[in-house]
Amino acid sequence: MAKKGCLPLVVISLVLLILGFLFLRGPMAHIQLPAESVTKPIGFPLTNTILAAWLTIMVLVALSYLATRRMEEVPRGIQNFVETVLEVLLGLVESVAGPKNGRRFFPVVATIFLFVIVSNWMGLLPGYGSIGLVETEAKEGFIFQEKDLGALKLALIPPGGDKFTEEDLNSSPPLKKGEVAGGFVPFLRSANTDLNTPLALALISAIFVEYWGISTLGIFRYGSKFFNVRSLLKGSLMFGLIDLMVGFLELVSEIARIISFTFRLFGNIFAGEILLAAISFLIPLVALLPAFGLELLVGAIQALIFAMLTLVFGVIAVAGHGEEATAMETHTAVAPS
Amino acid sequence: MTEEAMRLLAPALAIGMGSLGPGIGIGLLASKALESVGRNPEASATVQINMILAIAFCEAIAIYALVVAVIIAFVI
C-alpha cells in the first residue's frame, strides 16, 4: 500500500478511536451466567433468553409464511431466497447421508441449523442486551443517571460507566442527585447464551439420533452396538469382555455427546457476548468491527457444526455393525464442489 | 497462599493451560488439510467440510476449559 493511500485510513481510525472513547464507550462488562427473568406472569420466571428464542421462532415462521404465500413455478423474491437456502442445505445433507437417508434426516438437521443461525445473528442486533429494566434491590450492578422525559423515566448508563459489587455497597460514597444504582436486566438476550437452550437442542438431537437408529435397525440390532454380547455368546471370553467394554464406552460417549454439544454451542456464544462487552469497554469503535465480524462467523459456524454433527452421528447410528466404515466412506467421499 | 490469590490464579490457569492442547491440535488439523488441498485441489470441498467438523471437536475442549474458568471466576 502506498504511503499516500494509508494516511487517510490512519487519520479516520484515530478520529473514530477518540470519538469512541468520549461518547460511545460501553460500561464495564458485567458477566451474568444464568439468564435474568424479566417478569413472572403466572408464577414462573420469564427469562430474557426465552423471549429472544420466541422472537427467533416468530422470525422463522414469518419468513416461511411469506415465502410460501403465493408459490410460483419460477420463484421470485423471498420464495427464491428461501428456496436457495433450502437447496444448499439439502445438498449438504444429501452429500453426507446419501439420498434416501438425507431426505429423512433433513427436517431435523435443517431446523436445528436455521434456529441456531438465526438466533445467533439476531443476538447481534442493537437492542439485545442494551435495553432493559433497572432492579433497584440487586446486590451488584451499575450506576445509572436518570432522565425524566415526562411520560417515560429513563435511566442511562454513562459512557465507560462504573459497576458496583457487593463489597462496594458499604464502603462507597453516597450517590449524587439524579443517580440510581441497581442491577440491569435486559429485555432481550441471545437465546444460546442461556445454558438451557443449547441443552434442549442437544437433547433433541440425541433423541432423534437414537430414534433414527432404532427405527432403521430395530431395537435389538441397535442395542447390540452398546451391549455387544455376540462374542461372549460365541464362547470366547476375552474378546467377549473386550466387546462388552467397548459397547459400554459407546454408551458413555453417547451421553458425553449431549454435554459436549451443549457446551460447545453455549461456550462459543456466551464467550462471544463477553468478548463484545469487554471490547466495547476497552477499545470502543475501532476494535468492535473485527469483533462483530468474528461473532457473525462464529455464530454461523456453530450452527453449521451443530447440524452437521447431528447428521454425522445419525448416519453412524443408522449404519449397521461393520457397515459403518463403508457407509461413511461412500457418502462423504463424493461431495459436490 | 491466600484464598484471594488462589481465586485470581485458578481461572487464569484453567483457561491458559486448557487452551494449549486445542491450539496445537487445530494448528495440526489445518496444516494437514491445507497440505492435502494443495496436493489435490479437486478434493477441496470434501477436505474443507471434514476439516471444519474436526476443528469443531477440537475447539470444544478449549470451550470446556473456558466454561470452567468462567464458573470459577464468577459463580464460585
Side-chain angles (χ1 to χ4, degrees), chain B residues 25-76:
Chain B
I26 294 180
L28 283 172
L29 273 171
S31 90
K32 286 293 181 184
L34 288 172
E35 190 181 325
S36 60
V37 166
R39 298 178 81 195
N40 184 7
E42 284 180 0
S44 150
T46 316
V47 169
Q48 221 169 21
I49 293 182
N50 290 313
M51 176 191 86
I52 289 190
L53 226 60
I55 287 187
F57 273 119
C58 203
E59 194 180 6
I61 314 289
I63 301 291
Y64 304 160
L66 178 68
V67 170
V68 167
V70 168
I71 288 181
I72 297 179
F74 297 106
V75 178
I76 296 188

Side-chain angles (χ1 to χ4, degrees), chain A residues 198-213:
Chain A
L199 181 64
L201 287 171
L203 284 173
I204 290 176
S205 137
I207 290 176
F208 265 101
V209 165
E210 307 300 325
Y211 165 69
W212 289 330

Side-chain angles (χ1 to χ4, degrees), chain A residues 57-200:
Chain A
I57 295 176
M58 286 198 287
V59 163
L60 283 172
V61 167
L63 195 66
S64 328
Y65 173 67
L66 286 176
T68 55
R69 205 162 36 142
R70 271 174 286 172
M71 296 199 57
E72 296 167 13
E73 189 68 31
V74 179
R76 296 168 33 234
I78 293 194
Q79 185 187 345
N80 200 7
F81 171 66
V82 172
E83 278 197 14
T84 311
V85 170
L86 287 183
E87 216 173 291
V88 168
L89 280 175
L90 188 61
L92 200 59
V93 168
E94 282 191 349
S95 83
V96 176
K100 188 170 71 83
N101 279 331
R103 277 281 163 143
R104 197 169 141 217
F105 298 163
F106 180 69
V108 174
V109 170
T111 304
I112 289 179
F113 174 78
L114 288 172
F115 178 77
V116 175
I117 198 173
V118 171
S119 76
N120 288 344
W121 280 359
M122 278 177 71
L124 297 173
L125 290 173
Y128 272 73
S130 48
I131 304 179
L133 301 168
V134 178
E135 233 181 47
T136 36
E137 293 114 27
K139 287 193 237 106
E140 45 181 24
F142 299 99
I143 298 181
F144 299 83
Q145 285 171 348
E146 289 193 306
K147 269 192 167 59
D148 207 341
L149 298 178
L152 205 59
K153 272 186 73 171
L154 289 177
L156 302 170
I157 304 180
D162 288 321
K163 63 175 186 175
F164 66 91
T165 48
E166 270 184 85
E167 301 102 40
D168 299 334
L169 274 181
N170 302 321
S171 60
S172 64
L175 300 167
K176 302 186 215 105
K177 182 176 175 333
E179 281 191 358
V180 135
F184 178 57
V185 175
F187 283 131
L188 290 171
R189 178 176 147 172
S190 178
N192 291 315
T193 58
D194 183 4
L195 195 58
N196 295 311
T197 313
L199 181 64

Side-chain angles (χ1 to χ4, degrees), chain A residues 170-251:
Chain A
N170 302 321
S171 60
S172 64
L175 300 167
K176 302 186 215 105
K177 182 176 175 333
E179 281 191 358
V180 135
F184 178 57
V185 175
F187 283 131
L188 290 171
R189 178 176 147 172
S190 178
N192 291 315
T193 58
D194 183 4
L195 195 58
N196 295 311
T197 313
L199 181 64
L201 287 171
L203 284 173
I204 290 176
S205 137
I207 290 176
F208 265 101
V209 165
E210 307 300 325
Y211 165 69
W212 289 330
I214 293 180
S215 76
T216 307
L217 297 176
I219 191 162
F220 287 115
R221 266 181 81 195
Y222 188 66
S224 82
K225 280 193 201 181
F226 302 118
F227 302 106
N228 199 351
V229 290
R230 217 183 298 164
S231 303
L232 206 56
L233 291 176
K234 272 197 201 147
S236 74
L237 188 63
M238 194 177 76
F239 286 123
L241 282 178
I242 290 179
D243 278 346
L244 211 60
M245 287 271 50
V246 168
F248 178 67
L249 276 177
E250 290 268 328
L251 193 63

